[in-house]
Amino acid sequence: MTEPPAVDRDRLPHAVTHLVTVFEQLGAEHKALVAEVEKTTAKERRGTVNRMAEGVAQASYTLSHIVNMLATVHGLKVLGIDRQFSKDEDGRDYSPLDSLGRPSETLYEAASCLQAVAHTLGKAYAPTRKHPALARARCPQQLGTALISLRAALELVCADLAADQDVEAVTEYTPTLTFLSELEERACRTVPAQGAGPTADEVAAAIRTNPDIARAAAAALATTA
């Protein structure tokens, strides 16, 4: 039997590595959201932030499940197990005793769960009518890394499905890959830092030193009013 190329054997371990990154990076975002809930007094605003924290927590929980699934798929493939049946006295498949694991079925389930994680995070960061500004990452670097890694993991799982002769899997999950890129761009966008400018004390000191500054400022404000 011809061994598959190394890159094929390595897809799932790489996918798991990306998912571990997602799992780790979601921690900072969840912590920041929980802290925001605790200090927010406005009921509706607090409810929105709390929903976001719950969404991140749910995504994290599902990720743990997916990692176990992919580890199972990888192990079954390495061991060469794919729906082996018991045999009767003539060596034919004997189905009443069920069969051993089937990697392709578990891989399909993992891909669907990855899609669910993407949409769970999308729902968490969906702008609300009253508080659209809340739909942003509190830790944009960490959440951005999580979304990019989630996309990479799904791409690898799709590639593995395609290698198992399901070439349509790539097309099926393309909208989710696009969605993750758009979510990362929208929710993790950072505003360039503005110059700090002079402090109030510095302005007052400048005016005391040179009263003409105050007169010039007053004239400028009158002109632009």
Side-chain angles (χ1 to χ4, degrees):
M1 184 173 64
T2 304
E3 278 196 29
V7 65
D8 292 341
R9 295 200 306 269
D10 290 345
R11 279 197 196 101
L12 294 183
H14 285 322
V16 169
T17 298
H18 283 300
L19 292 181
V20 171
T21 297
V22 179
F23 185 81
E24 291 177 341
Q25 296 301 310
L26 286 180
E29 184 69 10
H30 185 262
K31 182 178 180 180
L33 287 168
V34 170
E36 188 172 332
V37 169
E38 292 175 351
K39 68 181 182 182
T40 301
T41 55
K43 184 177 180 181
E44 188 170 343
R45 186 182 182 94
R46 179 188 176 96
T48 298
V49 179
N50 188 59
R51 174 183 57 77
M52 296 172 71
E54 289 176 348
V56 172
Q58 179 59 46
S60 179
Y61 172 81
T62 307
L63 282 168
S64 175
H65 181 55
I66 297 170
V67 167
N68 290 336
M69 294 168 68
L70 293 184
T72 298
V73 172
H74 180 65
L76 289 173
K77 287 188 173 187
V78 169
L79 294 171
I81 296 174
D82 189 355
R83 204 182 183 189
Q84 272 80 7
F85 285 93
S86 296
K87 304 295 180 181
D88 62 17
E89 67 276 11
D90 297 319
R92 295 183 297 241
D93 288 343
Y94 184 70
S95 59
L97 294 184
D98 205 355
S99 64
L100 298 180
R102 191 173 185 181
S104 59
E105 289 182 352
T106 305
L107 194 59
Y108 270 114
E109 187 179 352
S112 296
C113 288
L114 282 169
Q115 189 174 51
V117 169
H119 289 292
T120 295
L121 291 173
K123 186 176 181 181
Y125 290 89
T128 61
R129 184 173 59 84
K130 289 191 175 181
H131 300 291
L134 292 177
R136 56 170 179 78
R138 274 52 178 182
C139 300
Q141 181 176 348
Q142 286 84 354
L143 183 61
T145 298
L147 293 172
I148 291 169
S149 296
L150 182 60
R151 189 181 193 280
L154 182 54
E155 285 178 330
L156 287 167
V157 170
C158 287
D160 217 58
L161 284 170
D164 284 339
Q165 308 306 316
D166 184 13
V167 293
E168 294 181 357
V170 177
T171 303
E172 181 180 352
Y173 292 99
T174 295
T176 302
L177 296 172
T178 302
F179 174 77
L180 284 169
S181 294
E182 293 173 347
L183 179 60
E184 188 268 332
E185 182 178 353
R186 174 176 61 79
C188 303
R189 182 172 51 207
T190 56
V191 178
Q194 302 295 320
T199 65
D201 289 342
E202 289 171 339
V203 172
I207 290 173
R208 285 193 294 270
T209 303
N210 186 359
D212 287 340
I213 294 177
R215 287 191 288 270
L221 290 172
T223 302
T224 58

